[in-house]
Amino acid sequence: MAVPAASRVTPTAAVPAAPGYPSQSARAASAAESRFRITVPIAPARNARVVALDPAAAAVARSVAGRPWAHARFYTCGPVPPGVPEGLALTELQGSGAPVPLPELLEGTDVVMVLATEDSGREQAAAIGGACWARAVTTAGVVLGDGFEADEAVAALRPYARVLLLSADEGDVVDLLTALRV
Amino acid sequence: MLRRDINELLTQTGPGTPMGELFRQYWIPALLAEELPENDAPPVRVKLLSERLLAFRDSDGRYGLVDEFCAHRGASLWFGRNEGSGLRCPYHGWKYDVTGQCIEVPSEADNSSFCQNVQLTSYPLVKIGDVLWTYMGDAAHQPPLPEFEFVHVPAEQTYTSKRWQQCNWLQAFEGGIDSSHVTFLHSGGLKTDPLFKGAKGNEYNMKDTKPFFEVADSEGGLFVGARRNAEPGTYYWRITPWVMPSFTMVPPRGDHPVHGHFWVPIDDENCWTYSFDYHPVRALTDAERQAMIDGHGVHSKNIPGTYRPEANMDNDYLIDREAQKRGDTYSGVAGIAMQDASLQESMGPIVDRTKERLVPADSGIIKARQKLRKAAIALRDEGVRPPGVDPAHHRVRSAAVVLPQAESFLDSCRDAVTATPGVAQSSV
Ligand code: FES
Ligand SMILES: [Fe+2]
C-alpha cells in the first residue's frame, strides 16, 4: 500500500531531536555531545624526510632532529652530479654517515620537507622536487630567514612544492612537523 | 594537530587570558552602526571577549560601551531610559553617561558628591564606516583608530553585515585563511552567485582543483598565496591577507566588489562574523547591494530583526540533499556563509585540535596559529605590542592575478596587496 506523502519520514527526521534541541544539528554541535567524540590514539601516518639544502639549513635540521619524532628522518645533501639529478646522494644526520641515494631515500616516504636559507642548494632543490613529483611524494619547502637570499632555490622548488613557507624560522619547522604528526 | 594546552591558549579570550589580552590590544568591531540608528535609540546588549556590555548612543550622538549592569544592585541597564544625555536605570533611577560615569543618584542629597565615585567599566566606542569599533585594553596604550579600507571608502562603495556564529572564534577564523576548501565547499557558488559568477578567474579555479600554496609573513600577519595553472607558462594566484588578530580578505573575482571578514569572539563558544564587500573605486550598484542584503556572496540572510542566519543549526541549516545530489551546492547547504558556518559549527563549540590530521596544504592555518601563540606569549611575558595594532598594517588588500611561472607572488604583487585610495583592486 502506498504511504501517504504526509506520513513519509525523511532520514533526517528518523533521528529525532532530543528534548531541548530543535534539531539534530543543534544537539550534535553542543558541548555535551562533543564529549562523545571517539578518542582513539592517532597513529603517526606520515613517513617524513627532512632535507637541508645548505649549511645554515643543516644547523636548523640538526637542532630539530634532536626532538622526539615518530618516523621523521633528517638529511643533508651533497652535490648534484651533472646531468643526473637522481644521482644526488644524501647523508642522514643521525645515521652512520653513509651516503643514501635519492631514490632510496624516497622509498616508502610520503612527504619531503626541504629546508633552505640561501641559493647554494638550488640544483638540489630542483633534483629533489622533480624526483618527488615523479613519485607522487608531497613536497613542502621551508625557506628560513627573510627569503631574499634563497629566491633561486625557491624558484627551483616552486613547480613541485605543494606548499612553500617563506620567511620561516626553526619554530615553523617544528610546528609544521608536529602538525603533520611525523 | 595542536597540543591541548595550546588549543586552550588560542581559544580562550576572557579577561586575564593571554589570548584575551591579545585581543584587547586592538580596535575590534563591537556592533554595526545600524544597531544604534539615532540619538537616544534603545540600548543594545553586546557581549565581547566574555564581557557583558551595553552599547548606547546618547541624546548628543555620543556612543558608549559600558558594563551592562547597574552599579547599584546589578539590574540590567538594557531596560534603561536613554534620555537627557545619559542612560538611567529604571529600578532606582541611577543615571550614567557614555563613559560609564554615574551622574545622578536620586536617593542622595542634591549636591552629593557620591555619584562621582561611581563609575561603570566602559570602553570607547567609535563609528568608522558602518561599524562601531571598541578598544577594550588599557587606556594608556590605546592605539590609533583602524584604517581598514572597507570602512574608509565612501558609504556608497561599501556594505557590511554580521551574523552570529555558534562556535569559537578560532575555528571560524581558520576558514578565512583556508584557501583549499573553496574548490570543494563553495564550488556551486562560483557558477551561480551573483557576486562571484562570470569572472575569468573562476575558470582557472574550476579547472585546477589542486592548488599550490605559499605562505609569507607580512607586517601585520600573513599573506597566503594559492596558485593554480592558468595559460601555459603562467599561474593564477589568489592572495589572501590576514591582519592580526582576525581580519582576512577574500581574493576578488573580476570587477565584483572585494570582500572579507572580521571575526570577533563573543565568548569562548560564540563569535560574530562580520562580512564586508566594497569596491575601491566605484559605488556598489543597486543590484549588488540588494544581493548582499539578500544574503548572497559572503553575506547571510538573517532572521528579520536579528543577526541570526535563517539557516542555522536549529533547522539543520535547511540542508537540501537533492540540491547536493544535483551539484547545485556541494554540501546541500545554500550560500557561501552558511556553507562555512554549518561545517565550522558542526565541529562543536570548541573543536578538539588534538584530533586533527593536518596536511601540508594546511600550512597557512599552522602558521597563523603559531603567530597568534607567539604574539600572545610575547605580550604576556614581555609586553611586546603584537603585529596588526599599527594602522599601517591595516592597509592591505586581497588580489587575484595571473603571473609568469617564474615570478614570486610577493615580489610581483607589492602594489596589488596594498590598499591605495582611488586605485582599483587587482583582479581577474
Ligand atoms: S575534508 Fe576537511 S574537515 Fe573533512
Ligand atoms: Fe568558505
Side-chain angles (χ1 to χ4, degrees), chain B residues 177-189:
Chain B
I177 45 170
D178 164 21
S179 296
S180 63
H181 77 280
V182 178
T183 322
F184 295 92
L185 183 60
H186 304 317
S187 54

PDB file of all heavy atoms in Angstrom, chain B residues 177-189:
ATOM      1  N   ILE B 177      41.419  31.628   6.164  1.00  0.00           N
ATOM      2  CA  ILE B 177      42.743  31.526   5.541  1.00  0.00           C
ATOM      3  C   ILE B 177      42.961  30.142   4.946  1.00  0.00           C
ATOM      4  O   ILE B 177      44.055  29.786   4.550  1.00  0.00           O
ATOM      5  CB  ILE B 177      43.880  31.846   6.537  1.00  0.00           C
ATOM      6  CG1 ILE B 177      43.654  31.159   7.861  1.00  0.00           C
ATOM      7  CG2 ILE B 177      44.024  33.332   6.726  1.00  0.00           C
ATOM      8  CD1 ILE B 177      44.846  31.250   8.777  1.00  0.00           C
ATOM      9  N   ASP B 178      41.877  29.372   4.888  1.00  0.00           N
ATOM     10  CA  ASP B 178      41.944  28.000   4.410  1.00  0.00           C
ATOM     11  C   ASP B 178      41.491  27.993   2.955  1.00  0.00           C
ATOM     12  O   ASP B 178      40.355  27.682   2.642  1.00  0.00           O
ATOM     13  CB  ASP B 178      41.028  27.164   5.320  1.00  0.00           C
ATOM     14  CG  ASP B 178      40.677  25.807   4.756  1.00  0.00           C
ATOM     15  OD1 ASP B 178      41.416  25.328   3.882  1.00  0.00           O
ATOM     16  OD2 ASP B 178      39.670  25.239   5.192  1.00  0.00           O
ATOM     17  N   SER B 179      42.425  28.361   2.060  1.00  0.00           N
ATOM     18  CA  SER B 179      42.035  28.505   0.651  1.00  0.00           C
ATOM     19  C   SER B 179      41.664  27.184   0.001  1.00  0.00           C
ATOM     20  O   SER B 179      41.051  27.176  -1.056  1.00  0.00           O
ATOM     21  CB  SER B 179      43.178  29.119  -0.149  1.00  0.00           C
ATOM     22  OG  SER B 179      43.445  30.412   0.298  1.00  0.00           O
ATOM     23  N   SER B 180      42.059  26.066   0.594  1.00  0.00           N
ATOM     24  CA  SER B 180      41.859  24.818  -0.137  1.00  0.00           C
ATOM     25  C   SER B 180      40.427  24.310  -0.071  1.00  0.00           C
ATOM     26  O   SER B 180      40.061  23.406  -0.820  1.00  0.00           O
ATOM     27  CB  SER B 180      42.851  23.744   0.332  1.00  0.00           C
ATOM     28  OG  SER B 180      42.657  23.422   1.670  1.00  0.00           O
ATOM     29  N   HIS B 181      39.570  24.891   0.782  1.00  0.00           N
ATOM     30  CA  HIS B 181      38.199  24.368   0.839  1.00  0.00           C
ATOM     31  C   HIS B 181      37.306  24.965  -0.246  1.00  0.00           C
ATOM     32  O   HIS B 181      36.250  24.432  -0.537  1.00  0.00           O
ATOM     33  CB  HIS B 181      37.582  24.603   2.227  1.00  0.00           C
ATOM     34  CG  HIS B 181      37.117  26.013   2.478  1.00  0.00           C
ATOM     35  ND1 HIS B 181      37.950  27.046   2.839  1.00  0.00           N
ATOM     36  CD2 HIS B 181      35.880  26.559   2.400  1.00  0.00           C
ATOM     37  CE1 HIS B 181      37.242  28.157   2.998  1.00  0.00           C
ATOM     38  NE2 HIS B 181      35.992  27.900   2.727  1.00  0.00           N
ATOM     39  N   VAL B 182      37.762  26.059  -0.846  1.00  0.00           N
ATOM     40  CA  VAL B 182      36.883  26.809  -1.742  1.00  0.00           C
ATOM     41  C   VAL B 182      36.451  25.965  -2.942  1.00  0.00           C
ATOM     42  O   VAL B 182      35.280  25.951  -3.333  1.00  0.00           O
ATOM     43  CB  VAL B 182      37.589  28.100  -2.215  1.00  0.00           C
ATOM     44  CG1 VAL B 182      36.723  28.864  -3.188  1.00  0.00           C
ATOM     45  CG2 VAL B 182      37.934  28.959  -1.009  1.00  0.00           C
ATOM     46  N   THR B 183      37.428  25.232  -3.503  1.00  0.00           N
ATOM     47  CA  THR B 183      37.149  24.439  -4.691  1.00  0.00           C
ATOM     48  C   THR B 183      36.088  23.380  -4.426  1.00  0.00           C
ATOM     49  O   THR B 183      35.370  22.964  -5.326  1.00  0.00           O
ATOM     50  CB  THR B 183      38.437  23.728  -5.141  1.00  0.00           C
ATOM     51  OG1 THR B 183      39.526  24.614  -4.949  1.00  0.00           O
ATOM     52  CG2 THR B 183      38.359  23.325  -6.572  1.00  0.00           C
ATOM     53  N   PHE B 184      36.004  22.932  -3.190  1.00  0.00           N
ATOM     54  CA  PHE B 184      35.002  21.923  -2.864  1.00  0.00           C
ATOM     55  C   PHE B 184      33.728  22.579  -2.354  1.00  0.00           C
ATOM     56  O   PHE B 184      32.743  22.688  -3.067  1.00  0.00           O
ATOM     57  CB  PHE B 184      35.573  20.938  -1.825  1.00  0.00           C
ATOM     58  CG  PHE B 184      36.716  20.167  -2.396  1.00  0.00           C
ATOM     59  CD1 PHE B 184      38.015  20.619  -2.244  1.00  0.00           C
ATOM     60  CD2 PHE B 184      36.493  19.033  -3.152  1.00  0.00           C
ATOM     61  CE1 PHE B 184      39.072  19.941  -2.825  1.00  0.00           C
ATOM     62  CE2 PHE B 184      37.535  18.349  -3.739  1.00  0.00           C
ATOM     63  CZ  PHE B 184      38.828  18.801  -3.573  1.00  0.00           C
ATOM     64  N   LEU B 185      33.807  23.047  -1.125  1.00  0.00           N
ATOM     65  CA  LEU B 185      32.597  23.501  -0.453  1.00  0.00           C
ATOM     66  C   LEU B 185      31.832  24.560  -1.223  1.00  0.00           C
ATOM     67  O   LEU B 185      30.611  24.541  -1.269  1.00  0.00           O
ATOM     68  CB  LEU B 185      32.970  24.018   0.951  1.00  0.00           C
ATOM     69  CG  LEU B 185      31.801  24.456   1.815  1.00  0.00           C
ATOM     70  CD1 LEU B 185      30.824  23.309   2.047  1.00  0.00           C
ATOM     71  CD2 LEU B 185      32.307  24.996   3.136  1.00  0.00           C
ATOM     72  N   HIS B 186      32.562  25.513  -1.832  1.00  0.00           N
ATOM     73  CA  HIS B 186      31.863  26.627  -2.467  1.00  0.00           C
ATOM     74  C   HIS B 186      31.773  26.488  -3.993  1.00  0.00           C
ATOM     75  O   HIS B 186      31.500  27.468  -4.690  1.00  0.00           O
ATOM     76  CB  HIS B 186      32.572  27.955  -2.133  1.00  0.00           C
ATOM     77  CG  HIS B 186      32.709  28.199  -0.668  1.00  0.00           C
ATOM     78  ND1 HIS B 186      31.694  27.961   0.229  1.00  0.00           N
ATOM     79  CD2 HIS B 186      33.747  28.658   0.074  1.00  0.00           C
ATOM     80  CE1 HIS B 186      32.110  28.275   1.466  1.00  0.00           C
ATOM     81  NE2 HIS B 186      33.348  28.689   1.394  1.00  0.00           N
ATOM     82  N   SER B 187      32.034  25.295  -4.521  1.00  0.00           N
ATOM     83  CA  SER B 187      32.103  25.168  -5.981  1.00  0.00           C
ATOM     84  C   SER B 187      30.797  25.586  -6.649  1.00  0.00           C
ATOM     85  O   SER B 187      30.818  26.200  -7.714  1.00  0.00           O
ATOM     86  CB  SER B 187      32.491  23.746  -6.371  1.00  0.00           C
ATOM     87  OG  SER B 187      31.607  22.820  -5.777  1.00  0.00           O
ATOM     88  N   GLY B 188      29.665  25.285  -6.033  1.00  0.00           N
ATOM     89  CA  GLY B 188      28.384  25.677  -6.630  1.00  0.00           C
ATOM     90  C   GLY B 188      28.288  27.177  -6.826  1.00  0.00           C
ATOM     91  O   GLY B 188      27.845  27.657  -7.874  1.00  0.00           O
ATOM     92  N   GLY B 189      28.723  27.934  -5.817  1.00  0.00           N
ATOM     93  CA  GLY B 189      28.572  29.389  -5.819  1.00  0.00           C
ATOM     94  C   GLY B 189      29.357  30.086  -6.919  1.00  0.00           C
ATOM     95  O   GLY B 189      28.961  31.148  -7.394  1.00  0.00           O
TER      96      GLY B 189
END
